[in-house]
Amino acid sequence: MAKPPKENSPITEHLAYLLAQANREINRQLETRLSKEGVPVEQWRILKVLSDGNGHSMGELAEAVLLNHPTLTKMIDRMVSDALVYRVQDPKDRRKVLMFVSDRGKALSRRLNSLAVSQEEHIVESYGDKSTNELKRLLENLIGSAN
Amino acid sequence: MAKPPKENSPITEHLAYLLAQANREINRQLETRLSKEGVPVEQWRILKVLSDGNGHSMGELAEAVLLNHPTLTKMIDRMVSDALVYRVQDPKDRRKVLMFVSDRGKALSRRLNSLAVSQEEHIVESYGDKSTNELKRLLENLIGSAN
DNA sequence: CTTCAAATGTTGAATATTCAATATTTTCAC
DNA sequence: GTGAAAATATTGAATATTCAACATTTGAAG
């Protein structure tokens, strides 16, 4: 039974540590899959978010893909060079830049999604459908409560 | 009900994404607490692991604190400069270096643990005891099944 | 015993991330 | 309407991380 960790209890009883460890492992698995397309996980996230076809501002996008502003700017620079996405100045608010995915980006996004889905299926296989869903639910609640 | 994500389902239904998001938020909270001592989360992990008083090799330690080798080496360099830890060559296997925590490191570790425990108590408060324990259990199982 | 492969840790160069400062545009108080 | 403050994105310098190469030591095959 997990109890709230005391000062001398092992680090493996801390939620913060367990989250970091689980995240690291799952992220590595995903990274390995995506490396088939030579793309880092963050670019998958970016393309996936942009794939709704709407323009997203940099701030919005940074929040959604879990990157801070300057890091995102530089990653987007690369993706623009690779013609995966493009910038449009927001006509409603000219401070903002709206990001869109190109056709090339859409095609890549489809291939990446297929890899990501297959990874998740692999997790469900070895970890179980019930546990996976339960874990997702708990994570959503945690994220909601942590804001 | 969470289902295995399809190719066009939002990124928030991917376990990999939920883990990354939860980890990011909890890690930020912890970071904020630990900043009172001016110490990054990784150094808390290192001190905590070394606080069992046994010597740990760099490889072992890198695995335990979720850092890769060169990153750990450089962080340990800093901590040696700060007199928090020290290196001893393993007499049994002279390729290895055994890391130990100094008295100064132990004192800091106690203060950091207290901050970390208080953070976890805060999580339990707002998220619930039952959910927290259940989440920990599921994460442990995931980590076990992913190896 | 010698030699060669594997294990361990560190280093330096290349790359990526972050922090603080900047530029631009909008909003809001007056 | 004007000017100050806030919001948004980018940039450049400072830091940190990673990759590949290296050095040392051990283990094991012959």
Side-chain angles (χ1 to χ4, degrees), chain A residues 50-139:
Chain A
L50 294 186
S51 286
D52 67 3
N54 303 325
H56 293 261
S57 74
M58 292 296 280
E60 211 188 320
L61 193 53
E63 188 61 28
V65 304
L66 315 176
L67 291 175
N68 54 19
H69 258 169
T71 306
L72 178 63
T73 292
K74 285 156 192 173
M75 185 161 284
I76 288 288
D77 286 347
R78 275 169 293 205
M79 293 175 79
V80 169
S81 297
D82 295 343
L84 298 171
V85 298
Y86 57 94
R87 292 177 163 98
V88 175
Q89 197 179 44
D90 185 342
K92 305 277 175 52
D93 181 342
R94 301 204 330 279
R95 289 171 302 183
K96 293 187 183 173
V97 169
L98 297 180
M99 297 304 313
F100 292 90
V101 61
S102 69
D103 288 345
R104 192 156 183 274
K106 277 180 202 141
L108 176 56
S109 185
R110 275 191 290 276
R111 298 198 299 278
L112 296 174
N113 279 330
S114 149
L115 293 171
V117 167
S118 110
Q119 185 226 10
E120 190 123 353
E121 284 167 355
H122 173 259
I123 293 171
V124 169
E125 231 173 75
S126 70
Y127 182 55
D129 190 52
K130 202 160 166 246
S131 293
T132 307
N133 286 334
E134 182 69 357
L135 177 54
K136 284 192 199 173
R137 198 182 60 80
L138 285 167
L139 288 171

Side-chain angles (χ1 to χ4, degrees), chain B residues 54-90:
Chain B
N54 303 324
H56 293 261
S57 73
M58 292 296 281
E60 210 187 320
L61 193 53
E63 188 61 26
V65 304
L66 316 176
L67 291 175
N68 55 19
H69 258 171
T71 306
L72 178 63
T73 291
K74 285 155 193 173
M75 185 160 285
I76 288 289
D77 286 348
R78 275 170 294 208
M79 294 174 79
V80 169
S81 298
D82 295 342
L84 298 172
V85 299
Y86 57 93
R87 292 177 162 98
V88 176
Q89 195 178 48
D90 186 342

Side-chain angles (χ1 to χ4, degrees), chain A residues 138, chain B residues 127-135:
Chain A
L138 285 167
Chain B
Y127 182 55
D129 190 54
K130 203 162 165 238
S131 292
T132 308
N133 285 334
E134 181 70 357
L135 177 54

Side-chain angles (χ1 to χ4, degrees), chain B residues 13-71:
Chain B
E13 287 177 21
H14 279 267
L15 179 56
Y17 180 81
L18 291 169
L19 277 171
Q21 192 181 4
N23 177 52
R24 189 174 204 238
E25 295 204 355
I26 298 301
N27 207 58
R28 274 195 181 159
Q29 284 182 11
L30 182 55
E31 201 171 52
T32 302
R33 301 265 178 149
L34 299 186
S35 71
K36 193 184 160 194
E37 295 286 347
V39 163
V41 175
E42 289 78 12
Q43 290 197 17
W44 166 64
R45 292 195 198 129
I46 292 170
L47 291 171
K48 181 136 189 85
V49 169
L50 294 185
S51 286
D52 67 2
N54 303 324
H56 293 261
S57 73
M58 292 296 281
E60 210 187 320
L61 193 53
E63 188 61 26
V65 304
L66 316 176
L67 291 175
N68 55 19
H69 258 171
T71 306

